[in-house]
Amino acid sequence: MKKVIAAHDISGLGKASLGCAMPIISVMGSVVCNLPTAVLSTITGVFDGYSITDLTEQMKSTLTHWKSLNIDFDMLYSGFLGSAKQVDIVISAVLDFKNCYFVADPVFADNGKLYQTMDLEMVEKMKRLVSYANLITPNYTEASFLLDESMGNTTLQKGKEWLEHLSKMGPE
């Protein structure tokens, strides 16, 4: 059975994060190896006043333990990363678990703006992260930040150009 590392947050309220990823990956016949990045009271961008607990140190400990067990993983999927340090941790995991297919969902913006927990340093880190990915799944806002392009009226031609430019950043 295939093993998938899922690096994502756990949100108490909202339709996102590991709560959504786990059943999808499981129903596809793979074992989900959770690598929680943060625990949030709610998803960001929808509710005000959420609480967040950063799990950066736990991520490091978990990956160190998994490496010591000589476990092979088939895929690594990253979603919400709560800090620039976590981007570096995921990149290290990609390099450590060499045979993993890496899917990066650069979760950091929507509706034309960055999430409250994100800043331009994180955008630059995400540009680095996607360069290691086999597949990326940015939304329109995230793609515009990754490409340093302004959002606006989109044509089919512009969409194709953006996809080509995103592919040149590293993903297959």
Side-chain angles (χ1 to χ4, degrees):
M1 188 167 282
K2 293 186 184 263
K3 292 182 287 308
V4 177
I5 299 171
H8 214 318
D9 67 293
I10 300 170
S11 291
L13 180 63
K15 289 184 172 183
S17 71
L18 280 173
C20 292
M22 288 171 52
I24 292 168
I25 295 167
S26 292
V27 79
M28 293 171 63
S30 296
V31 174
V32 182
C33 304
N34 292 317
L35 185 63
T37 61
V39 176
L40 292 98
S41 57
T42 63
I43 59 173
T44 62
V46 177
F47 303 97
D48 291 326
Y50 60 87
S51 66
I52 184 169
T53 301
D54 181 280
L55 297 177
T56 300
E57 294 306 314
Q58 180 62 35
M59 289 175 69
K60 288 185 208 176
S61 298
T62 299
L63 288 168
T64 298
H65 184 223
W66 289 348
K67 279 180 12 186
S68 75
L69 297 173
N70 294 315
I71 298 172
D72 289 322
F73 295 96
D74 300 287
M75 187 174 132
L76 192 158
Y77 156 69
S78 69
F80 178 87
L81 302 176
S83 70
K85 288 180 184 178
Q86 291 183 1
V87 173
D88 293 331
I89 292 168
V90 170
I91 291 170
S92 291
V94 170
L95 297 173
D96 287 341
F97 302 111
K98 295 180 186 346
N99 296 322
C100 273
Y101 187 86
F102 177 37
V103 176
D105 182 2
V107 178
F108 64 87
D110 206 355
N111 298 317
K113 60 184 181 180
L114 295 173
Y115 292 140
Q116 295 171 3
T117 57
M118 302 296 165
D119 58 21
L120 293 178
E121 176 191 7
M122 192 62 155
V123 173
E124 293 305 311
K125 285 288 197 169
M126 287 295 182
K127 289 177 183 179
R128 186 166 170 252
L129 180 74
V130 301
S131 73
Y132 288 88
N134 299 100
L135 175 70
I136 61 173
T137 60
N139 64 31
Y140 180 51
T141 301
E142 292 157 347
S144 73
F145 275 102
L146 290 171
L147 296 171
D148 297 315
E149 293 279 351
S150 61
M151 295 173 59
N153 292 334
T154 304
T155 63
L156 182 59
Q157 182 59 36
K158 184 177 178 181
K160 287 178 181 180
E161 289 171 9
W162 279 29
L163 291 172
E164 288 175 13
H165 293 303
L166 288 166
S167 292
K168 289 178 183 173
M169 295 178 79
E172 298 168 357

